[in-house]
């Protein structure tokens, strides 16, 4: 009942959100070049995931042989977590970077289509946005991805079950988790504004 009342009171915002989603879907349908350009990038990213998983598997096969002269025994010690922590951090950063590349390409293409700068189905803006994502826009996307990666690591630390078992820590974790999610959404909106205006990270964030 409360949910229905909330929908009735906020129906204007919900209708506006529905209209925005309808416009976005219509723009994606009319600019299919987005999918053809982003598909190869997604394939490269999946290949990067494969090599990352292979690195984790190989790290467990690499160890140090320790010899105990008293018992005349040898043992193999593996410490994969310390070796692969930086690789995992880079993997998470790469994940956010590729997501922001998608946002950059989609935002630039739909903005040019919506504002009448390009005809529907044009490949010019999509190709340029993909090129910008790895050249002119790379500082902005890299910095935004780094911020989101650090926030994601903090979110995973907040997911520690020991903290959630304490009522006081539980309340703090809920507030912190919400703030972290807001900051990640803030980074994504910064990328959207950058894709439309071409401003750098600091101006887009401001």
């Amino acid at each position: 009942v409360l949910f229905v009342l909330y929908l009735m009171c906020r129906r204007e915002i919900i209708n506006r959100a529905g209209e925005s989603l309808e416009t976005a879907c219509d723009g994606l349908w009319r600019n299919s070049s987005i999918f053809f350009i982003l598909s190869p990038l997604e394939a490269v990213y999946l290949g990067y995931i494969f090599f990352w998983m292979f690195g984790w598997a190989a790290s467990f096969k690499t160890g140090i042989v320790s010899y105990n002269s008293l018992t005349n025994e040898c043992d193999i010690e593996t410490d994969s977590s310390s070796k692969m922590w930086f690789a995992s951090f880079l993997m998470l950063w790469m994940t956010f970077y590729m997501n922001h590349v998608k946002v950059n390409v989609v935002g630039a293409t739909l903005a040019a289509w919506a504002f009448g700068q390009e005809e529907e189905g044009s490949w010019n803006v999509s190709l340029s946005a993909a090129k910008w994502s790895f050249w002119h826009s790379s500082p902005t996307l890299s910095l935004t991805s780094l911020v989101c990666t650090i926030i994601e690591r903090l979110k995973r630390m907040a997911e520690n079950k020991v903290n959630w078992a304490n009522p006081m820590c539980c309340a703090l974790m809920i507030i912190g988790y919400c703030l972290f999610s807001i900051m990640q959404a803030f980074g994504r909106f910064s990328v959207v504004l950058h894709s439309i205006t071409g401003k750098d990270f600091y101006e887009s964030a401001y």
Side-chain angles (χ1 to χ4, degrees):
V1 172
L2 291 176
F3 183 68
V4 172
L5 290 176
Y6 175 80
L7 293 179
M8 293 176 61
C9 296
R10 308 286 286 183
R11 60 183 179 275
E12 293 183 2
I13 296 178
I14 297 173
N15 290 335
R16 192 183 309 138
E19 292 175 358
S20 300
L21 289 174
E22 183 180 5
T23 303
C25 292
D26 185 42
L28 290 173
W29 178 258
R30 295 174 181 272
N31 295 276
S32 57
S33 59
I34 295 174
F35 301 100
F36 291 102
I37 291 175
L38 293 181
S39 295
L41 298 179
E42 189 70 19
V44 172
Y45 173 69
L46 293 177
Y48 182 79
I49 292 179
F50 170 78
F51 284 109
W52 175 75
M53 295 174 61
F54 180 80
W56 265 110
S59 65
F60 282 96
K61 300 178 182 179
T62 305
I64 300 174
V65 178
S66 60
Y67 173 69
N68 191 340
S69 58
L70 298 177
T71 59
N72 196 22
E73 293 178 350
C74 291
D75 190 17
I76 299 178
E77 300 176 356
T78 59
D79 187 14
S80 59
S81 59
S82 61
K83 298 176 183 178
M84 289 298 296
W85 185 90
F86 184 68
S88 299
F89 186 85
L90 288 180
M91 177 64 196
L92 190 59
W93 176 82
M94 180 63 71
T95 300
F96 280 108
Y97 190 91
M98 293 303 297
N99 286 333
H100 291 158
V101 168
K102 298 175 188 176
V103 172
N104 196 37
V105 173
V106 173
T109 304
L110 293 188
W113 167 77
F115 298 147
Q117 296 175 343
E118 290 287 339
E119 298 180 357
E120 63 179 61
S122 176
W123 288 66
N124 296 332
V125 178
S126 299
L127 287 172
S128 299
K131 181 183 69 175
W132 297 334
S133 298
F134 297 98
W135 185 246
H136 298 291
S137 299
S138 58
T140 299
L141 300 184
S142 299
L143 185 55
T144 309
S145 301
L146 179 61
V147 172
C148 291
T149 301
I150 295 174
I151 293 173
E152 185 66 24
R153 298 294 299 184
L154 294 175
K155 285 174 63 176
R156 294 185 181 183
M157 291 174 58
E159 291 176 352
N160 190 344
K161 302 302 185 293
V162 177
N163 296 328
W164 291 98
N166 188 325
M168 192 64 182
C169 290
C170 181
L172 294 176
M173 293 298 105
I174 293 175
I175 296 174
Y177 206 84
C178 292
L179 291 176
F180 291 151
S181 299
I182 290 173
M183 292 174 68
Q184 285 184 334
F186 170 77
R188 181 176 292 269
F189 277 107
S190 299
V191 175
V192 171
L193 186 61
H194 167 76
S195 67
I196 298 174
T197 62
K199 295 181 179 180
D200 56 14
F201 172 76
Y202 298 102
E203 292 182 350
S204 299
Y206 177 77

